[in-house]
Amino acid sequence: MKRLFQLIGFIILSSHVFGQDSTTVTSEHATKFLFNGYIKDLQTLRTDKDFSDWDATNMVHNRLNLKWLISDNLTATAELRTRLFSGDDVKQVPAFAQSLRNVNELINMQRYWKLSSSMVLHSNFERLNMDYQNKNLNVRIGRQRINWGITTTWNPNDIFNAYNFLDFDYEERAGIDGARASYIINNSSNIEIAYANTGRKQGNIAAFKYSVNRGNYDIQFIGGIFKNHLSLGTGWAGYVGDAGFKGEIQYFAANQHSKGLLNILLESDYMFNNGWYISLGTLFNSNGLSKPVNDWTNINLNLSPENLMPTKWNLILSTIKEINPLMSANISLLYAPGNKMAIIYPSIQYSLATNLDLSIVWQSYFSELNNNYEAVNHQGILRMKLNF
């Protein structure tokens, strides 16, 4: 326990000291250090379909972001994520601490401390890279995020780092160990190549992306090798009238270990004059479930580029409304018609002070199981976030 208090004290002290002045300049070489971060507290309550059995887990989540502007062309970045978990998840989930590691990272820069049977502290350097930038060329080497997605909820084109939209607390998203280079060809086109080494057999990713603007549409074409699969894709973003129209398509060729896979996403959004924002999307996963299941554990919500959703057809409707300058509310409704799975996902955000925000999130899951349509489970999250 003494070690726990020392670690927490170090995080709080670091946040306080560096947060006082996020930019430090040395006059001799005009070198700049930029620092920011946050600390959050999440209280999660999870219950069964009948609201009869409750589990509680708390997480204190800290992130420290440091940039070193070495010169006009060269930047070094380091970002450390630390989380303290306590409660029922730690006690009940087998190998909970080990499951926290991002398996797509080649180099193990994470450390966990099992402080008790119900408390685990976990730290990981999620970004650690060097970035070179000149007029047309940008090269980044090291741990980083490579984001090729265009759409909002799911990103078939994001073959390096698939995002789990249910994990609302992970704004930065996971990274990879690798390299990326992009070159601006002209005002309307550029090309990017990237490589990720996961450290797993047949698990590496190497791909290129060509982007161009045509007819007020941003269009991209992707090709490469994804974990021993040939993968090809395209994506676009533009407007039909006043409504946004986006889409992504990604194909993974079959190999000796798995059959081929096709993901297609179409999405449209619109902003009304009264401040309401609405988005409608549909995702097709050729390998997804198309029929109801008897056991909820057969539905795999550990999302990845090859499993953006476990169901074949997926519809999502999302709406956001700013109630006043300090408060906004949104709700997402997801339905998989073949599997008959549904997720209701409302949330409220409120600004308590300049750098202090409060969020209330609810997630309810429903499915047809053994010919009965019923709730599966529910969870509510209360989050406080302090930025510095």
Side-chain angles (χ1 to χ4, degrees):
M1 188 61 68
K2 180 180 179 181
R3 184 191 302 172
L4 168 63
F5 289 131
Q6 289 174 337
L7 289 166
I8 294 175
F10 172 76
I11 292 170
I12 295 172
L13 180 60
S14 300
S15 303
H16 175 71
V17 172
F18 287 109
Q20 293 178 26
D21 185 2
S22 61
T23 304
T24 302
V25 181
T26 61
S27 58
E28 183 179 357
H29 301 291
T31 304
K32 297 181 181 180
F33 291 90
L34 306 178
F35 182 89
N36 61 51
Y38 56 71
I39 187 165
K40 300 185 280 191
D41 183 86
L42 283 82
Q43 180 63 56
T44 301
L45 295 176
R46 188 175 295 110
T47 183
D48 60 5
K49 62 180 181 180
D50 300 319
F51 298 93
S52 58
D53 186 18
W54 292 82
D55 292 330
T57 300
N58 185 265
M59 177 177 71
V60 179
H61 183 177
N62 172 252
R63 194 176 187 96
L64 305 176
N65 303 325
L66 176 65
K67 283 187 182 296
W68 178 19
L69 308 182
I70 301 171
S71 69
D72 291 339
N73 303 107
L74 195 61
T75 302
T77 298
E79 298 182 11
L80 176 66
R81 184 190 194 199
T82 301
R83 292 171 294 169
L84 175 65
F85 298 87
S86 59
D88 292 319
D89 280 356
V90 182
K91 290 189 292 185
Q92 298 172 7
V93 176
F96 177 85
Q98 294 86 336
S99 70
L100 298 174
R101 187 187 175 196
N102 176 7
V103 296
N104 290 320
E105 296 171 344
L106 168 65
I107 303 171
N108 185 0
M109 290 190 284
Q110 63 95 36
R111 179 86 182 269
Y112 71 84
W113 298 264
K114 189 170 183 180
L115 304 170
S116 71
S117 62
S118 61
M119 186 176 293
V120 166
L121 182 67
H122 180 267
S123 284
N124 185 36
F125 276 99
E126 291 208 323
R127 305 288 188 271
L128 194 64
N129 58 70
M130 296 288 291
D131 186 284
Y132 173 79
Q133 174 77 57
N134 67 16
K135 184 177 180 181
N136 293 332
L137 177 66
N138 176 242
V139 178
R140 182 176 296 162
I141 299 174
R143 182 160 296 177
Q144 59 187 290
R145 171 155 182 85
I146 299 174
N147 181 16
W148 286 358
I150 293 176
T151 51
T152 305
T153 303
W154 301 289
N155 295 124
N157 289 167
D158 197 0
I159 60 175
F160 288 91
N161 309 105
Y163 172 58
N164 187 343
F165 76 99
L166 296 170
D167 187 2
F168 77 99
D169 186 57
Y170 199 2
E171 300 94 336
E172 297 82 9
R173 307 184 185 183
I176 55 91
D177 291 338
R180 179 192 63 86
S182 63
Y183 184 79
I184 299 174
I185 301 171
N186 52 46
N187 291 334
S188 62
S189 64
N190 66 79
I191 189 168
E192 185 172 334
I193 58 174
Y195 172 75
N197 190 331
T198 66
R200 289 176 290 158
K201 186 178 180 180
Q202 299 179 344
N204 298 340
I205 308 168
F208 76 90
K209 175 170 70 79
Y210 174 70
S211 303
V212 65
N213 182 275
R214 290 288 185 272
N216 294 321
Y217 268 76
D218 293 320
I219 306 171
Q220 63 185 29
F221 302 93
I222 293 171
I225 302 298
F226 175 86
K227 300 179 180 179
N228 210 33
H229 294 264
L230 172 67
S231 185
L232 300 172
T234 186
W236 66 89
Y239 287 89
V240 175
D242 294 329
F245 177 53
K246 303 175 184 177
E248 296 182 30
I249 301 172
Q250 197 72 32
Y251 171 71
F252 300 89
N255 63 17
Q256 64 221 27
H257 302 292
S258 59
K259 60 182 180 180
L261 167 66
L262 178 65
N263 286 324
I264 302 175
L265 175 67
L266 300 177
E267 182 180 273
S268 182
D269 58 3
Y270 188 81
M271 176 66 76
F272 293 90
N273 293 331
N274 59 4
W276 282 95
Y277 169 85
I278 190 169
S279 173
L280 178 64
T282 179
L283 171 71
F284 171 77
N285 169 9
S286 64
N287 291 348
L289 299 170
S290 58
K291 296 180 181 179
V293 297
N294 294 327
D295 186 351
W296 173 253
T297 60
N298 291 329
I299 297 179
N300 179 14
L301 290 173
N302 294 320
L303 307 186
S304 69
E306 297 171 292
N307 182 47
L308 293 173
M309 279 298 292
T311 42
K312 178 166 286 191
W313 289 100
N314 305 272
L315 304 172
I316 189 166
L317 173 66
S318 300
T319 183
I320 303 173
K321 178 67 167 69
E322 183 181 276
I323 300 171
N324 58 52
L326 299 178
M327 179 183 290
S328 63
N330 63 70
I331 184 170
S332 294
L333 305 174
L334 183 146
Y335 183 64
N339 180 258
K340 297 185 180 179
M341 180 186 71
I343 302 175
I344 301 176
Y345 188 175
S347 64
I348 296 174
Q349 295 78 39
Y350 185 77
S351 177
L352 298 172
T354 302
N355 295 319
L356 183 61
D357 298 315
L358 171 70
S359 300
I360 301 173
V361 179
W362 185 266
Q363 295 176 353
S364 288
Y365 298 80
F366 303 84
S367 183
E368 181 176 313
L369 303 173
N370 295 312
N371 298 318
N372 293 319
Y373 196 79
E374 59 187 56
V376 178
N377 58 56
H378 315 271
Q379 67 175 2
I381 303 115
L382 177 67
R383 183 181 79 170
M384 296 278 288
K385 179 180 181 182
L386 175 65
N387 295 288
F388 52 82

